[in-house]
């Protein structure tokens, strides 16, 4: 699909990642595309048509952004040595 390939190239270009990460950028482009509303579907996303739920996009981050730990720091400090 040309739309996905164009979005893939754009993601890679803006992220500064090497082209060897194209498959991750393509998967990201497909994930985002499935959550975007379209005029064809009365401004509903494919995800919304499939599941009946409004897509939650709060988990999306900028590609190649610094990772954010998702575990509590107290658990790391409480871990025993050895």
């Amino acid at each position: 699909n040309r739309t996905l390939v164009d979005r893939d190239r754009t993601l890679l270009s803006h992220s500064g990642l090497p082209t060897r990460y194209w498959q991750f950028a393509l998967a990201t482009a497909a994930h985002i595309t499935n959550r975007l509303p379209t005029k064809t579907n009365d401004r509903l996303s494919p995800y919304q048509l499939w599941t009946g739920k409004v897509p939650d996009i709060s988990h999306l981050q900028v590609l190649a952004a610094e990772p954010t730990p998702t575990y509590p720091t107290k658990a790391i400090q409480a871990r025993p040595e050895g």
Side-chain angles (χ1 to χ4, degrees), residues 6-80:
D6 287 345
R7 289 180 180 170
D8 176 43
R9 289 181 184 150
T10 301
L11 286 170
L12 281 177
S13 174
H14 284 273
S15 70
L17 289 171
T19 55
R20 69 175 180 256
Y21 293 107
W22 69 267
Q23 70 271 26
F24 300 110
L26 185 63
T28 301
H31 183 81
I32 292 169
T33 300
N34 285 330
R35 281 149 181 79
L36 292 175
T38 63
K39 290 180 185 178
T40 309
N41 296 327
D42 268 343
R43 304 237 181 253
L44 297 174
S45 69
Y47 177 88
Q48 197 169 357
L49 290 171
W50 183 263
T51 64
K53 300 176 186 176
V54 176
D56 177 22
I57 57 170
S58 64
H59 64 283
L60 296 178
Q61 296 182 13
V62 176
L63 190 64
E66 289 294 320
T68 305
T70 58
Y71 46 83
T73 54
K74 289 181 182 179
I76 294 173
Q77 294 169 353
R79 196 168 61 193

